[in-house]
Amino acid sequence: MRRPTLSLPTFLLLSSIFLFHSLLPTKSFEILPRSSNFGADIDGFNITNFLNSHDSIRLDSDPAVEDVPGEARVTVDALKRALHEHRFLHFPLQDGLTWQDQLTFVQLFGVAFDESLHPNRVPWEGEKDPRVAVFSNNKNHGLVGVGVEGFHSDGNVVEIPHQANFLYCEQTVKGAATLLAPLEEVRNSLPEELLLNVDFTSSHVDNLEKPLAHHHPASGRPTMFFGLGTLAGLYKKDGETLTREETDDINDKISEAIEKVGPYRHEWVAGSLLVMDNLALVHRASSETQATDDPDAIRIMRRVTLAAKRPLRRRDQTFEDYPHRCNDEICLVSLGRHIEAGADHSFPGVEEGNELCRGYFHQTSSLASLTNKELARMAAEIAEELRMPHFLDARKYGTNKPTIRWGSPTTEDEWNNEYPWDDVSGQPNDCDGPGTEPCIFIGPRGKWFDFACNPKRSEGTTPGPEITWGEREMFDIAPLCQVSLEWFHQNENEVQEKREL
Ligand SMILES: *[C@@H]1O[C@H](CO)[C@@H](O)[C@H](O)[C@H]1NC(C)=O
């Protein structure tokens, strides 16, 4: 089946004219951006129905749904992009959503975090599953007093903070709200000097530092990480621990910036689900959420968080030691020496590779689109230099004499379908059956191979491709990014200027 790849603007335009009628015959939904500068409402999306219409999703949904069926994958990818674009997605009218379905929905996006790994958390005795936290104003119904400490991102007590929070309102009390503030705007209204080389530390866990200002690992946009109030330990600047006064001064300025930007107050209605990009927003529960004056007024919230894979990092200042080749417009840059696949060969797939390119370089970066021979030659040189296969921002349509669609939005190529496939090994071949290898990597001698878009996990296969490059062996696939020459140079010049000062 042909799967359209769409840029976000195209996607929004088309979704507003019910694109999803054609993809999901019985369903359609719209992503409606809010008039405020962040957030979107998802209209006409019933999560329970969505999961029911893809029954295969439930079969092995532990711990993550690896093989989301094609049509569902289109929807999930679109929602992921919308989440990074708008920073929170509000799904109203999900009345009756069970905790099992909430968990499965999160697992379509990745791995749900086990909350018992939070060192400062006392489990609630009515807990059904360690991945589903329940909050309340009454201790018979859930954990009380959670999230009111101050504006924060979740996961400030663990090494790798979560990607996203899926917060569902089962029932609520008058005035109970979650306040949200967008971190890019907060950061932009603070002097860079205040944040430079400052690390946030947790008051609950020793030696757990995170860059206070950094770039969002998936969207590449400027962002921050912190927890205010009692969550903050003594910050560090250039590795030196700051005093309480210095730390409080920074936090006061952050609080002022949040007020200046103007948080959005989300008043809860039973049955709604809020999905927050945890690394693009800070949030805090309003005091009304804890109301105890009326013993019959019970608030019940369920939270499942989407785990991330890598610790937060500051972007490197210089890219000299990243293997790269540039022409007079574009640089192709390998992350092969910077991303560890680990012993289980969990190398990043194409979707994650695109995120890593944005996080490491710039929000306009992506995996490489080799639309002409010159770019293909540059990529071949990098692959040979590292002796590593590299994923491209490409999708293959058809098995024999397939066409390739590059990037998002898609770019035309100059190949006339005469791509440098590896003829020796009979590429492209959809090794595990038709449509099983829609993605493409560049391998030895600059030849191209089709492959799954992620490490293969099914029995009888190896995670990475087995190819002959000198010896025949299995390889991990690295991300090959592209970034504009202008940006690549701008950064190097900035570094140069700083060194000269
Ligand atoms: C969503 O779908 C479920 C299952 O079909 C249904 O029971 C529920 O009423 C629907 N919710 C809304 C708000 O339409």
Side-chain angles (χ1 to χ4, degrees):
M1 193 185 89
R2 281 185 159 222
R3 272 199 279 161
T5 47
L6 297 172
S7 69
L8 189 70
T10 321
F11 168 72
L12 289 175
L13 181 76
L14 291 177
S15 68
S16 67
I17 52 171
F18 294 87
L19 165 76
F20 289 93
H21 272 311
S22 60
L23 296 173
L24 305 170
T26 55
K27 314 283 173 321
S28 60
F29 70 90
E30 291 183 88
I31 298 171
L32 305 171
R34 297 199 161 204
S35 51
S36 54
N37 55 349
F38 70 118
D41 292 295
I42 308 299
D43 189 35
F45 192 97
N46 181 326
I47 295 171
T48 308
N49 267 341
F50 178 70
L51 297 176
N52 286 345
S53 65
H54 299 285
D55 255 344
S56 59
I57 284 173
R58 291 157 191 272
L59 294 177
D60 54 350
S61 60
D62 206 295
V65 182
E66 297 249 331
D67 292 312
V68 180
E71 330 85 77
R73 170 58 57 201
V74 173
T75 304
V76 171
D77 284 350
L79 290 174
K80 249 189 212 174
R81 283 177 200 216
L83 179 60
H84 291 145
E85 170 79 10
H86 302 292
R87 298 174 282 178
F88 76 82
L89 303 178
H90 174 223
F91 294 74
L93 303 171
Q94 307 298 326
D95 304 78
L97 180 71
T98 62
W99 67 263
Q100 292 93 334
D101 279 355
Q102 184 181 356
L103 180 58
T104 304
F105 187 57
V106 174
Q107 288 172 324
L108 297 181
F109 294 77
V111 175
F113 182 78
D114 180 343
E115 301 262 348
S116 62
L117 299 171
H118 275 156
N120 63 336
R121 180 172 172 275
V122 186
W124 175 57
E125 52 191 30
E127 177 179 285
K128 299 279 199 306
D129 185 295
R131 295 165 295 185
V132 184
V134 185
F135 308 131
S136 181
N137 56 342
N138 178 318
K139 64 179 170 37
N140 296 325
H141 295 272
L143 295 168
V144 298
V146 177
V148 291
E149 301 93 335
F151 275 102
H152 63 279
S153 290
D154 282 344
N156 50 74
V157 294
V158 291
E159 192 202 354
I160 303 181
H162 323 307
Q163 295 187 57
N165 327 327
F166 291 62
L167 192 55
Y168 176 69
C169 180
E170 214 171 282
Q171 58 185 71
T172 191
V173 297
K174 198 164 176 288
T178 298
L179 288 88
L180 307 170
L183 286 167
E184 183 174 357
E185 288 82 344
V186 171
R187 176 170 168 178
N188 287 343
S189 66
L190 287 163
E192 267 304 294
E193 176 53 32
L194 184 80
L195 312 175
L196 194 68
N197 289 332
V198 176
D199 287 330
F200 165 83
T201 67
S202 162
S203 61
H204 293 283
V205 186
D206 290 339
N207 302 318
L208 195 64
E209 286 130 37
K210 297 184 180 65
L212 182 62
H214 63 106
H215 287 89
H216 192 290
S219 73
R221 289 161 72 166
T223 190
M224 300 179 70
F225 190 92
F226 56 83
L228 298 180
T230 55
L231 298 168
L234 297 181
Y235 289 1
K236 292 189 173 178
K237 190 174 177 78
D238 299 316
E240 301 285 325
T241 305
L242 300 180
T243 62
R244 187 77 254 170
E245 291 69 41
E246 288 167 328
T247 301
D248 290 347
D249 180 52
I250 294 174
N251 283 347
D252 289 348
K253 294 208 167 79
I254 293 174
S255 295
E256 284 164 26
I258 290 172
E259 289 316 312
K260 198 171 129 200
V261 165
Y264 158 67
R265 187 181 168 94
H266 185 79
E267 296 261 355
W268 285 101
V269 175
S272 50
L273 175 82
L274 207 57
V275 182
M276 295 174 258
D277 181 336
N278 184 50
L279 302 176
L281 296 176
V282 276
H283 63 275
R284 164 171 89 71
S286 78
S287 55
E288 292 88 344
T289 59
Q290 306 303 314
T292 52
D293 43 331
D294 175 0
D296 292 332
I298 306 287
R299 171 178 181 263
I300 302 176
M301 304 292 293
R302 283 196 317 245
R303 183 185 72 187
V304 180
T305 57
L306 178 65
K309 291 185 184 161
R310 296 163 214 282
L312 299 178
R313 57 187 292 283
R314 283 193 185 82
R315 224 178 235 170
D316 287 341
Q317 294 287 307
T318 168
F319 300 99
E320 279 157 24
D321 64 335
Y322 287 72
H324 65 275
R325 296 287 186 282
C326 301
N327 65 16
D328 51 14
E329 275 175 35
I330 277 180
C331 294
L332 302 184
V333 195
S334 171
L335 287 178
R337 294 206 179 121
H338 294 81
I339 305 290
E340 292 282 332
D344 62 347
H345 301 285
S346 57
F347 56 84
V350 168
E351 186 69 23
E352 194 191 350
N354 272 313
E355 293 183 352
L356 286 163
C357 294
R358 294 194 286 265
Y360 268 73
F361 302 110
H362 187 258
Q363 63 202 71
T364 58
S365 180
S366 64
L367 290 177
S369 287
L370 306 182
T371 51
N372 60 44
K373 286 189 175 161
E374 185 192 22
L375 291 167
R377 182 186 48 75
M378 287 156 57
E381 285 180 20
I382 295 174
E384 287 294 343
E385 182 183 325
L386 277 81
R387 194 170 164 269
M388 263 188 108
H390 283 73
F391 264 137
L392 308 176
D393 199 5
R395 292 268 171 174
K396 184 197 77 176
Y397 295 89
T399 301
N400 301 313
K401 219 55 181 148
T403 54
I404 293 178
R405 293 209 196 157
W406 299 97
S408 167
T410 51
T411 329
E412 294 290 304
D413 71 32
E414 298 170 13
W415 292 99
N416 236 336
N417 274 22
E418 301 294 328
Y419 301 111
W421 296 111
D422 187 60
D423 298 329
V424 179
S425 62
Q427 303 294 322
N429 59 5
D430 267 328
C431 201
D432 305 317
T436 53
E437 301 194 317
C439 286
I440 300 170
F441 68 80
I442 183 167
R445 304 174 308 283
K447 295 296 184 184
W448 298 3
F449 299 71
D450 64 359
F451 198 70
C453 303
N454 288 289
K456 293 184 182 179
R457 293 291 171 210
S458 45
E459 248 176 76
T461 61
T462 54
E466 288 184 61
I467 44 181
T468 307
W469 207 334
E471 318 241 312
R472 186 165 179 85
E473 57 185 300
M474 195 209 76
F475 286 84
D476 294 332
I477 309 176
L480 182 66
C481 303
Q482 66 179 29
V483 61
S484 77
L485 178 76
E486 195 183 6
W487 183 84
F488 203 76
H489 276 187
Q490 223 169 33
N491 259 291
E492 294 206 315
N493 292 343
E494 267 174 35
V495 172
Q496 208 68 38
E497 279 160 26
K498 272 184 200 147
R499 280 192 191 136
E500 281 162 13
L501 281 176

